Amino acid sequence: YTDHVNQLLARAHHIIYSGRKTTWRSLFRFLKDDYPAIFQRQLPYVLTSLFVSVAWGFLGAVLTNARPEFMRHFVGPAMIATMERHEMWTKSVVSVAPMASSYIMTNNLTVSFVTFASGILFGLGTFFYLYVNGMMLGVIGAACHQYGMSIALWSFVAPHGSLELPAILIAGGAGFRLGHSMLFPGAYRWKQSVARGGMEATRLIAGVIPMLVVAGCLEGFFSPSHAPVWLKFTVGGLLFSLLLLWLFRPLKQPSQS
């Protein structure tokens, strides 16, 4: 399966970029004009990814509230110790911000691409990674609420999470698109269906790269800083609003002669 995914990605890359010289202008044009159309065509898969993540996150929060010891299955003793002291475990990030930002970017890109590529397992791999991410967010959210740290947590998450969380959901949507092409080839031959689904999924996940680069910088420098809480929420809300305006921008209708 891994070799097959690599072949699909190579084939999709060739189809997308063959005959073109990639420049900053062409990249900007892709993000500005092409990507919103790609996203909107694949929106049902992204909404499926959103539903799976929210469902597991809700379950994680409910189980943690009902049985506080449940959090120990997902949260390590060091993090629990910091919450018991009512301290955020992110304080150390500020002192090593440049290195942390680079690590966070790499980690987020890895998580997103693994979530996407694992869709080759008939979508089950994508489902598993969304379960892990959703459950972890729900458990941590409920645990911080129990320790009276909800504002500290969500003011930390808001700036970078406004881009990082949608990026992971889009990656999940790309994984489900790939899994759907394997399970339901329709009128296509199975290999043709997988190749077509792989190309569309690759184009969908391509747009999350700049989102995760910006999110990594924010998570390394701004989110753990001592900036006012209201400013962090404002930045997060503004970035999320701009993201929605970009992804759901009205598409140009083809002119009729």
Side-chain angles (χ1 to χ4, degrees), residues 103-120:
Y103 169 78
I104 290 166
M105 256 183 253
T106 304
N107 180 69
N108 289 341
L109 285 167
T110 300
V111 169
S112 296
F113 276 88
V114 169
T115 301
F116 152 60
S118 60
I120 200 68

Side-chain angles (χ1 to χ4, degrees), residues 72-108:
R72 298 183 185 276
H73 295 289
F74 293 88
V75 180
M79 186 180 293
I80 292 177
T82 60
M83 287 190 289
E84 289 175 345
R85 297 193 302 268
H86 296 279
E87 296 178 357
M88 284 295 291
W89 55 91
T90 56
K91 285 185 175 181
S92 59
V93 174
V94 179
S95 61
V96 290
M99 185 168 55
S101 181
S102 176
Y103 169 78
I104 290 166
M105 256 183 253
T106 304
N107 180 69
N108 289 341

